[in-house]
Amino acid sequence: DPPTGPIAPTPGPEPRTPINATNTPGNASALFRFTQPGSYYLTANITGVSGKHGIEIAADGVTIDLMGFDLLGVPGVGSFTGITTASSGLRNITIRNGSVRNWSFHGINLSANGPAANGLVDAVNSSGNASSGITLGTNFTVHNCTTTENNFTGVVAGSGCTIISCSAGNNGSNGFSTGTGCMVTNCASTGNTIDGILAVTGSTVANCCVSGNGRHGISPNGSCLVRGNSCRGHAAGAGIRIFSTDNRVEANSCTGNSVGVQTLSAGNFITGNTCAGNTTNWEIAANNVCLVVAATAIAAAFSGNSGGASPGSTNPYANYTY
């Protein structure tokens, strides 16, 4: 004898653990504390209390779903973080889907007391914190996150991290700062006080947009690949500033900077970039591989299939119709 109306599934029990004083009780250092592996979720906005972190992770294998809610700090009460780790070497941590803001230290710090390893931070907005927005351990992926108006760097990555489709704006230091062997792709970094992206040894920065940062756009430091980026509007610095050796810098566009591409050391390979409208387009130290050609614009307009170059041309600026 079924009830009237359409038949609908009956929801099963929620397999995750709600974050509250009963399920995840805190201690003297944190409002909530996770001591067991598992999946945890917020059920409402959380406001921090004076003298405590918001959430402290003390176990491997923890996933936190903020469920779109806000984890709001109490500014000016000491070095306390929205979400932090309790010890070094924690592994397999995931944080996703919400807002962490106005904490008196970091928004998220996964290197407290030593770096955590192997995790994901996804779809998190971290803003207005007194230190960095998101500080990672090693071998983390950060995806679709926004860090703005933090007093230090937007995203600080340990070694082996991947940063994808994130934005950093108006932070008090760099937009993004990597450890060794990191990947930064499809990101935007604008209006930060120092560099847009600081890339440490062996990292790749590709297809990013950096503009209007206080010093330089992208600063690769040794054995980095910097490719396909747009760097503009750095009135006090360079679009790309290379300050070590063995970097490959190719197919970038640098406009409206004090210097388009600048190297401070020898031993770099610089190819296929365009610089225009900078105070100084190129500032290249001795013993780098860098050929600069002044391209001349076509004097007359053309349309259709005329005006291009035929296949086999040695002109590196040729376009082809086929």
Side-chain angles (χ1 to χ4, degrees):
D1 187 17
T4 59
I7 297 173
T10 302
E14 169 60 69
R16 302 173 298 174
T17 302
I19 300 170
N20 55 42
T22 300
N23 297 317
T24 54
N27 59 8
S29 64
L31 184 60
F32 301 107
R33 196 166 193 264
F34 304 154
T35 59
Q36 297 296 323
S39 184
Y40 301 86
Y41 69 100
L42 282 182
T43 60
N45 296 325
I46 297 295
T47 299
V49 298
S50 180
K52 292 187 177 185
H53 303 300
I55 293 172
E56 187 174 64
I57 302 168
D60 296 334
V62 167
T63 293
I64 302 171
D65 191 342
L66 300 175
M67 297 291 289
F69 290 114
D70 188 26
L71 190 59
L72 177 63
V74 181
V77 294
S79 298
F80 296 100
T81 295
I83 301 175
T84 189
T85 46
S87 61
S88 177
L90 294 176
R91 306 176 70 82
N92 303 341
I93 293 170
T94 295
I95 302 168
R96 56 164 50 98
N97 189 30
S99 171
V100 183
R101 62 187 177 94
N102 291 5
W103 288 87
S104 58
F105 197 32
H106 304 281
I108 295 173
N109 185 6
L110 302 176
S111 280
N113 307 303
N118 306 346
L120 170 68
V121 181
D122 180 55
V124 171
N125 299 324
S126 184
S127 65
N129 302 291
S131 188
S132 65
I134 300 172
T135 296
L136 305 168
T138 60
N139 302 113
F140 270 78
T141 295
V142 184
H143 174 255
N144 198 29
C145 291
T146 301
T147 55
T148 57
E149 298 178 350
N150 300 287
N151 286 354
F152 189 55
T153 296
V155 176
V156 180
S159 62
C161 290
T162 300
I163 304 171
I164 310 171
S165 300
C166 295
S167 63
N170 302 316
N171 295 290
S173 183
N174 302 308
F176 300 94
S177 180
T178 80
T180 59
C182 290
M183 173 80 74
V184 184
T185 58
N186 299 326
C187 291
S189 187
T190 304
N192 301 288
T193 300
I194 304 183
D195 292 349
I197 301 173
L198 175 63
V200 177
T201 309
S203 294
T204 293
V205 181
N207 302 325
C208 294
C209 180
V210 293
S211 64
N213 297 288
R215 193 170 63 178
H216 309 296
I218 300 173
S219 292
N221 177 17
S223 302
C224 292
L225 173 62
V226 180
R227 181 172 58 200
N229 303 285
S230 172
C231 308
R232 62 173 299 277
H234 299 93
I240 298 173
R241 178 181 182 264
I242 306 163
F243 58 97
S244 189
T245 63
D246 298 324
N247 298 283
R248 182 181 179 102
V249 177
E250 65 176 68
N252 301 283
S253 172
C254 298
T255 59
N257 307 287
S258 178
V259 180
V261 176
Q262 179 185 50
T263 68
L264 302 183
S265 62
N268 298 286
F269 188 83
I270 304 161
T271 181
N273 303 281
T274 58
C275 288
N278 304 285
T279 304
T280 302
N281 282 325
W282 306 90
E283 195 171 284
I284 307 299
N287 299 314
N288 285 283
V289 178
C290 180
L291 173 64
V292 175
V293 177
T296 302
I298 298 172
F302 66 90
S303 64
N305 295 324
S306 63
S310 61
S313 171
T314 59
N315 186 335
Y317 304 106
N319 300 284
Y320 297 102
T321 297
Y322 64 94

